[in-house]
Amino acid sequence: MSQRYEIRLSGAGGQGLILAGKILAEAAAIYENKNATQSQSYGPEARGGASRSEVIISDGDIDFPKASALDLLLCLTQEACDKYVGDLKADGLLIIDSRFVKDIPEGTFRITRADISKIAEEKVGRSVVANMVALGVIVAATRIVLPDSAERAISGRVPRGTEELNVKAFRLGLQAVNGK
Amino acid sequence: MERVDYDKYLRTSRIPHIWCPGCGHGIAMKSILRAVDHAGWTKENTVWVSGIGCSGRITGYVDFNTLHTTHGRAIAFATGIKLANPKLNVVVVTGDGDGTAIGGNHLIHAARRNLDITVVLLNNNIYGMTGGQCSPTTPQGAKATTAPYGNMERPFDIAGVVAACGGNFVARGTVYHVNELEKLMRQAFLKHGFSFIEVMSPCPTAFGRRNKMKNAIVMMEDLKERSVSVKKAKDLTDEEREDKIVNGVLLDRDKAEYTDLYRQLIEQLRGS
Amino acid sequence: MGTEDKSVPRLLTGNEAVALAAIEAGARFFAGYPITPSSEIAETLSRELPKVGGVFIQMEDEIAAMSAIIGASLAGARTLTATSGPGFSLKQEAIGYACETEVPCVVVNVMRGGPSTGMPTLPAQGDVMQAKWGTHGDHPAIVLCPERIDDAWELTIRAFNIAEKFRTPVILLLDEIVGHLTEKLVLPLKKQPKLFDLPQNVSKEGYLPYRFDGEYPPPLIPVGQGVPYHVTGLLHDETGFPTNDPDLAERNARWLVDKVENHKDELADVELDEVDGCDILVFAYGGCARSARGAVRMAREKGLKVGLFKPRTLWPFPEKELQEAAKTAKRVVVAEMNLGQMAHEVEWALGRSIPVELHSKLGGEPILPTEILATIEGRD
């Protein structure tokens, strides 16, 4: 891992990207004793509209907390992909929901495609946990945090009574990458 | 009437007060002090809060912890005091400009919350201190310095508004009917929960003069002539009731009080 | 995320840290009104205050919230409210009342884009001058501004201390960057602030709530303790009763400002980073200080001698500290998310003896470290 690892989770409002970002930051900062920040940019809409959540993970101090040269970009919508792919480093990683992002721009970056929303709907039965599936895909593809740290952070952050459901979604995301 | 030692409750060094000859506010203040005396409230457990205007000056004259606050906000300040120390008795004195225009929002919400404070609104139908501008209770057609051709707007029935918003006790009286006013005032001060009393109080200087009521006596007679009881008002048509002053108890009930509910929440959270 | 388990590192937003630090500082009353981007402070306190026997209330508007905390403070509670630009504008009426009546309280303003409704979810630093001059008339202003989560925690506690000691409202000025940034808080802090102990046993005999001649104001005896003093927003004498005596009125007005200005040294609070012998001094505060740190580091890697001056107390302005830090500087760069509100103050404090360059950005995106670097290098 480089000293400073910049992540942007992007999609639409209501997809739970802010929560996913906080879980990723918590896994790194609390359970793996690194430094991490999470911030977001969102519009007035509670649902729909563009949404982005950014996580910086570092071994050192983090001064500027916003992502500008991305090591990892997650896109759950085509709109988000078109808008943000230019911020990805030349050797960065693009993770996309293969159902919604069809048109992938040219670039030297690596790409991981996963059936994120499809897994949430068909294998968990709840489309709202797509954010946790995405988290699983991210952890499997990058190893930025250990799966165990992420699961502990998930259990601490999701609404009481939904821990199992969310962890299940996360594990399916892990398998979607590891299984390939 | 019971004998009351008023000096005990007054800052005699601050008297004479600034109210004009013929103003009804002095009578209202006496009525409030008699109710405080009857309720047994003391300097140790009672706080008075007022806003801006002629009514607001009352806090300068009574010898308690007194807050003379910003225009319209007396109830909001009182809310903070009561919540921080629910043992205190909190009296708010406001006017028709202070309490129904700039402070109208605070009034309806305090009633809705049913916070245990007592609000006395001295309604003289005019902005007296600033020189006779039109207020939300100035009657339609009446003249004011900002309504030189007569007021076009319909006035608030402010006691009716408050009764519709909530609270446990709402009443209206006049400074002409002092005995009845004292009875209503006592009920308001003894009631647990939000209580509101509208007191019709003449302003000869800023209202009467411009509205064909030459002096205080004429204004007092007007209060007398236009007053009807709540009971009698029920038999009147809307048209007949139009310019009447409906006196008496408009609302009297015992819904749960806000600080009691909050204390229960604290006990529940701390117990678990 | 609750008040329990204080020693376990936690991941919190700046807003959550302010709310929990307020409870740590003994705050037991909050009145507020929903507004982005400060609402998490109200939400956190609505959940946590009743657990410690405190009271949370959502008022009908911003002015009512400000008025309610003044009332609660007079009744003996440590109090705060939180808002953002439009709400801060509304609160100015009651902030002036708290200044004139010398009632301690803490007002949190999480700055968003302005003017008017502006940009509710995006950061700016356009309320810096409003925090000083927002309410009418001459009045005191004490304004603290955190950059990081540990700052937010420490300055919240410091805000309550100062408010009580000086008996005046203290403004805790965050920006959206700091309020909404989630990061790790490890307690106790390296510099754990101590709570100010109010002098005990204040004599009720001959109590003058508004003495003008002390070093600090006398502690406030709460209402309802049998000391029937008067509180008014009118200029008043030392008893609290209104006065039209020109001499007394002037003494009252001067006292309010002097009690703060006479303690500038005590209130000054700055963080310095390699300012000794610097050629270029960068001045930044709040969320922008984070960008400035990145820029300063890059500049040093390029061999430039750059120092960073970060005020944590914005008002009273730490001019002496700035003059000292800028002694060797040939240029000063101010980075802020407004059109130069502090840059003017910096210029004035340095007597226009050193060129002051402003790097300002509006529009809601934080200033990038590379952008400040360009100004440091004179490339823009």
Side-chain angles (χ1 to χ4, degrees), chain B residues 44 65-66 68 73 113 262, chain C residues 60 93 224 227 230-232:
Chain B
E44 283 72 29
N65 277 120
T66 47
H68 177 225
R73 320 296 175 204
R113 280 186 198 108
Y262 208 94
Chain C
E60 55 273 13
E93 165 191 313
V227 187
H230 186 56
V231 178
T232 177

Side-chain angles (χ1 to χ4, degrees), chain C residues 92-165:
Chain C
Q92 295 303 329
E93 165 191 313
I95 290 173
Y97 184 83
C99 291
E100 172 58 30
T101 57
E102 301 191 59
V103 176
C105 54
V106 172
V107 181
V108 186
N109 175 15
V110 186
M111 290 184 283
R112 69 191 217 185
S116 188
T117 311
M119 290 183 294
T121 61
L122 298 173
Q125 296 180 318
D127 306 349
V128 168
M129 278 296 168
Q130 186 189 22
K132 180 170 169 59
W133 294 118
T135 195
H136 57 276
D138 287 298
H139 58 270
I142 303 176
V143 180
L144 314 184
C145 180
E147 169 201 359
R148 301 175 306 265
I149 195 156
D150 55 336
D151 255 2
W153 185 274
E154 188 188 338
L155 291 185
T156 301
I157 293 174
R158 189 166 151 79
F160 281 97
N161 277 338
I162 294 171
E164 299 236 333
K165 190 170 184 180

